[in-house]
Amino acid sequence: MKTVVVGQGYVGLPVAMRAVEVGHEVVGIDLDGNRIGLLKAGSSYVDDISDETLAIALGSGRYLATMDYADVEGFDVAVITVPTPLRDSLPDLSFIEQSASSLAPFVRRGATVVLESTTYPGTTDELLVPILEAGSGLTAGSDFFVGYSPERIDPGNKTWGFRETPKVVSGLNSASLTRVQGFYDQLVDKTVPVSGTKEAELTKLLENTFRHVNIALVNELAIFAHQLGVDVWESIEAASSKPFGYMKFTPGPGVGGHCLPVDPSYLSWQVRQKLGKSFRFVELANDVNDHMPDYVVQRVMALLNADRKALNGSKVLLVGLSYKANTGDIRESPSLRIIELLKDFDVDVQAIDAHIEGHRWPVGVVKHETLADGLQGADAVVVVTAHDDLDLTALEHLTIPVLDTKHAIRGDSVVTL
Ligand SMILES: NC(=O)c1ccc[n+]([C@@H]2O[C@H](COP(=O)([O-])OP(=O)(O)OC[C@H]3O[C@@H](n4cnc5c(N)ncnc54)[C@H](O)[C@@H]3O)[C@@H](O)[C@H]2O)c1
């Protein structure tokens, strides 16, 4: 079976590796020459895929990393995992359009195309299908098959990987659903069919909006609890002892990555566009979460003030820059906004994070390899992300203030969000 995975990023590479593992002949296509070069050289840039896994795939002779669409010729199933960012706060589906146009001439009778990129309901049927039909001269649903299956990958999660996480599957019609479900049944332990592609598209947005809104709730609560002199972390821990009707979310410096800052806005955009209404929950959550970096900087300023020091001209060490622990993904990370705000105050921003890819390190931020180096001459420390492999005990008894936004350490000089 020949499987094509379009986009070899955080989503596409794990799909490709799993397809190789179950015996498919896999073409991983990406237009990023740097990424394809790394893959060919056996070097993985996706935390959840080890170099060893990649080496096994390359060694099997059934994995080809390529930039050339001619290599997809004769495919049975193609999975599209290209980015769906916001451009000027609006959904940007141009990557789906481009990849579908490139794929379309190679769609043949009996082939199946599945979209995995996160997007608003209707994209598969109304955008993807017409491009594939026009470029192939075939009819979707009878000559070839189309579906949508949202990705649920949770970078850094050691328990729930690609294989163990149930996968929602859908098709343009029942013939398509049969093909799509049959394909994923080979890759994952459990598939969850839904009746239409729109329901599957909405499922993904619901999951991420749920998370976004609940994080906003605890973030706003953290701000008020601090002002009221109540330990919000203790209350959250206590509430989590309830075995039903409560799900634990914790405050933080803001949301980041490819999903939470983006996906809920796809939904609110569509609601506004099609219904002329505002999705108030999403807009409120965006507002609260977007302002968390400002709050972090205000707290650092207050801590320095208490020591009769100014933020302006100070040296602040940021510990962890990625948006999530144990990953190197810095896309949309709140650390980027914190850096920007600190720099507005002429702060000498320094940081430590061994997970961030070298070329993604933020400009103008001094990089340290060890905490001891980073702490030299520092006026304050902010724990933005607490990676498991960085021992933070050295921060527990410093004479300078430490703002721990993740509640990862305890100590005399440590304050939490
Ligand atoms: N990263 C996550 O945790 C996550 C989780 C669930 C869903 N998603 C969704 O999955 C999609 C992909 O996200 P990602 O994190 O893998 O992005 P990514 O940027 O890591 O990877 C996407 C890749 O697609 C490539 N690409 C762009 N246009 C192309 C084209 N025309 N042909 C071939 N390759 C092309 C890019 O070069 C890039 O390498 C997005 O819609 C995202 O919202 C991401």
Side-chain angles (χ1 to χ4, degrees):
M1 174 162 184
K2 181 165 177 175
T3 297
V4 167
V5 183
V6 182
Q8 292 293 275
Y10 292 88
V11 168
L13 192 58
V15 176
M17 292 299 105
R18 178 69 184 141
V20 173
E21 199 182 13
V22 301
H24 296 191
E25 184 196 331
V26 178
V27 175
I29 188 154
D30 204 296
L31 300 185
D32 182 334
N34 183 41
R35 282 189 157 179
I36 292 299
L38 286 168
L39 291 175
K40 281 182 183 298
S43 172
S44 170
Y45 39 79
V46 172
D47 296 274
D48 295 338
I49 299 296
S50 66
D51 287 352
E52 194 193 353
T53 302
L54 182 57
I56 293 170
L58 290 164
S60 74
R62 284 183 288 100
Y63 174 60
L64 173 69
T66 179
M67 294 173 69
D68 187 357
Y69 269 89
D71 290 322
V72 312
E73 176 88 53
F75 74 82
D76 299 296
V77 176
V79 182
I80 301 176
T81 68
V82 295
T84 43
L86 290 170
R87 193 181 297 272
D88 299 328
S89 307
L90 301 176
D92 174 9
L93 298 182
S94 61
F95 296 99
I96 296 181
E97 289 168 349
Q98 282 161 18
S99 54
S101 302
S102 306
L103 205 56
F106 300 98
V107 174
R108 59 194 177 100
R109 281 178 199 281
T112 300
V113 179
V114 194
L115 180 63
E116 283 209 9
S117 303
T118 306
T119 184
Y120 53 75
T123 306
T124 306
D125 293 12
E126 292 153 23
L127 181 87
L128 180 64
V129 165
I131 297 173
L132 294 176
E133 287 185 328
S136 65
L138 299 172
T139 304
S142 53
D143 294 334
F144 70 100
F145 307 97
V146 182
Y148 180 82
S149 177
E151 185 47 67
R152 283 173 161 167
I153 204 154
D154 183 20
N157 191 325
K158 301 278 178 249
T159 314
W160 295 99
F162 177 75
R163 182 179 170 176
E164 298 80 25
T165 308
K167 198 140 180 31
V168 172
V169 291
S170 68
L172 183 65
N173 55 2
S174 64
S176 294
L177 175 59
T178 305
R179 262 70 171 195
V180 173
Q181 187 168 15
F183 170 71
Y184 285 109
D185 277 338
Q186 296 175 42
L187 304 189
V188 300
D189 294 343
K190 186 179 178 197
T191 49
V192 181
V194 291
S195 66
T197 54
K198 289 181 182 164
E199 285 69 26
E201 288 159 336
L202 184 61
T203 302
K204 175 71 189 173
L205 295 182
L206 167 63
E207 289 168 8
N208 280 351
T209 302
F210 173 82
R211 201 169 157 66
H212 190 50
V213 166
N214 279 288
I215 290 172
L217 171 67
V218 288
N219 277 341
E220 192 164 44
L221 187 63
I223 295 172
F224 291 141
H226 173 71
Q227 288 165 3
L228 293 170
V230 182
D231 184 343
V232 73
W233 299 90
E234 200 178 336
S235 302
I236 289 171
E237 244 357 274
S240 308
S241 66
K242 187 178 178 189
F244 47 86
Y246 185 80
M247 191 177 283
K248 182 178 174 184
F249 288 88
T250 50
V255 294
H258 198 303
C259 295
L260 294 196
V262 177
D263 302 353
S265 299
Y266 265 64
L267 196 51
S268 57
W269 176 84
Q270 193 181 42
V271 167
R272 189 173 290 282
Q273 190 77 4
K274 291 214 163 168
L275 308 176
K277 303 228 163 105
S278 111
F279 200 142
R280 289 167 295 165
F281 264 100
V282 172
E283 284 166 18
L284 182 60
N286 279 342
D287 188 43
V288 173
N289 289 334
D290 286 353
H291 283 94
M292 289 311 287
D294 300 76
Y295 178 66
V296 168
V297 171
Q298 267 175 36
R299 291 285 304 275
V300 178
M301 194 185 290
L303 287 167
L304 286 169
N305 264 343
D307 282 349
R308 297 179 185 280
K309 282 185 182 172
L311 180 62
N312 195 305
S314 65
K315 177 177 154 184
V316 174
L317 176 70
L318 302 182
V319 176
L321 294 179
S322 60
Y323 85 93
K324 190 169 194 258
N326 309 322
T327 85
D329 194 348
I330 196 169
R331 292 176 298 175
E332 318 275 342
S333 174
S335 65
L336 297 173
R337 180 70 185 139
I338 292 171
I339 291 166
E340 209 175 279
L341 292 166
L342 289 174
K343 284 194 167 288
D344 285 347
F345 283 99
D346 277 334
V347 170
D348 175 3
V349 186
Q350 316 226 341
I352 176 165
D353 192 328
H355 290 259
I356 308 291
E357 288 175 78
H359 67 281
R360 299 227 164 145
W361 189 264
V363 180
V365 175
V366 178
K367 181 176 180 175
H368 292 286
E369 304 297 334
T370 65
L371 265 184
D373 278 351
L375 287 170
Q376 295 222 354
D379 297 295
V381 178
V382 183
V383 178
V384 180
T385 309
H387 296 302
D388 289 343
D389 60 5
L390 183 63
D391 182 1
L392 300 180
T393 43
L395 301 179
E396 288 182 354
H397 302 287
L398 299 176
T399 49
I400 54 167
V402 178
L403 176 63
D404 175 11
T405 68
K406 304 308 284 188
H407 201 234
I409 43 173
R410 315 282 181 272
D412 310 337
S413 55
V414 180
V415 295
T416 50
L417 209 56

